[in-house]
Amino acid sequence: MSSNQQQPIVLGKIGACYGVKGWMKITAYTESMEGIFDYSPWLLFEQGKWREVKVSQWRIHGGKAVVAELEGITTREQAQALTNCEIAILPEQMENLPEDEFYWRDLIGCEVVNTKGYNMGTVDQILETGSNDVLVVKANAKDAFGKGERMIPFVTEQFILEVNREAKQILVDWDPDF
């Protein structure tokens, strides 16, 4: 890992063993399941620390899963020891996006303010619901409407008016009483 100790970005995790030659199933959190293989090297979190690994080969299995072989992992037992390890990369491995685009991770911690200037709190997490994603906004401790959290559909131009990455602020058209 680099000397400046950046926080790795988790892209997936190692699943169960596949076969006897060290192959393993991969659970990818990337937009497409094979998108996780666009990044190399990977960092695996095992025994409390990150370790760099390279994928030797991978393939789509059964149309809805991916399996991979990592360099140096040649037996089922070695693969089994990695089950449930998180797979991550360093932030600099992510491509820089245009000004008007962002990664979901960029939204966590952003302050959410509505068009009337009311501070609704900060983005705590993002839920994928199928039709549209939803911002889970943790309300401020002294929220005037007594809310603990708000769920705001991530629908641009309707509810989400602007995302300012530099200011870490999201402008929304949303009633604070919802």
Side-chain angles (χ1 to χ4, degrees):
M1 213 159 98
S2 68
S3 57
N4 61 359
Q5 294 297 308
Q6 294 182 53
Q7 191 63 29
I9 299 164
V10 176
L11 297 182
K13 72 177 184 175
I14 305 284
C17 296
Y18 176 74
V20 294
K21 296 187 177 180
W23 283 71
M24 53 202 81
K25 294 178 181 173
I26 304 295
T27 301
Y29 306 148
T30 50
E31 193 167 349
S32 68
M33 65 184 166
E34 62 272 10
I36 196 167
F37 298 106
D38 292 342
Y39 303 97
S40 182
W42 285 352
L43 299 172
L44 290 187
F45 194 71
E46 67 180 315
Q47 298 169 356
K49 59 181 190 259
W50 293 101
R51 157 175 94 86
E52 199 172 279
V53 297
K54 286 194 166 71
V55 175
S56 331
Q57 48 185 326
W58 67 274
R59 66 177 179 262
I60 294 176
H61 175 65
K64 51 185 185 246
V66 286
V67 294
E69 176 185 57
L70 302 179
E71 283 182 2
I73 306 297
T74 57
T75 68
R76 183 177 181 83
E77 291 71 31
Q78 288 174 308
Q80 217 160 13
L82 298 176
T83 300
N84 292 322
C85 281
E86 288 186 321
I87 300 166
I89 59 169
L90 291 175
E92 65 254 24
Q93 289 176 265
M94 308 275 298
E95 65 181 68
N96 288 323
L97 295 173
E99 188 63 36
D100 61 340
E101 293 182 27
F102 42 84
Y103 291 108
W104 280 148
R105 69 181 173 92
D106 297 335
L107 302 181
I108 304 296
C110 281
E111 179 182 68
V112 178
V113 178
N114 78 356
T115 53
K116 294 181 175 75
Y118 187 79
N119 183 327
M120 299 206 183
T122 56
V123 177
D124 188 46
Q125 63 178 311
I126 297 159
L127 302 175
E128 293 183 47
T129 64
S131 57
N132 54 268
D133 297 321
V134 174
L135 296 179
V136 178
V137 179
K138 187 173 195 281
N140 297 312
K142 295 181 180 171
D143 186 78
F145 296 88
K147 300 285 185 189
E149 72 177 19
R150 292 179 175 84
M151 299 180 100
I152 304 174
F154 198 90
V155 179
T156 54
E157 296 173 15
Q158 185 176 358
F159 304 124
I160 308 297
L161 304 180
E162 181 187 355
V163 175
N164 184 330
R165 288 190 313 196
E166 277 67 53
K168 296 234 5 120
Q169 190 175 70
I170 300 171
L171 179 66
V172 298
D173 185 2
W174 196 256
D175 189 319
D177 204 16
F178 276 16

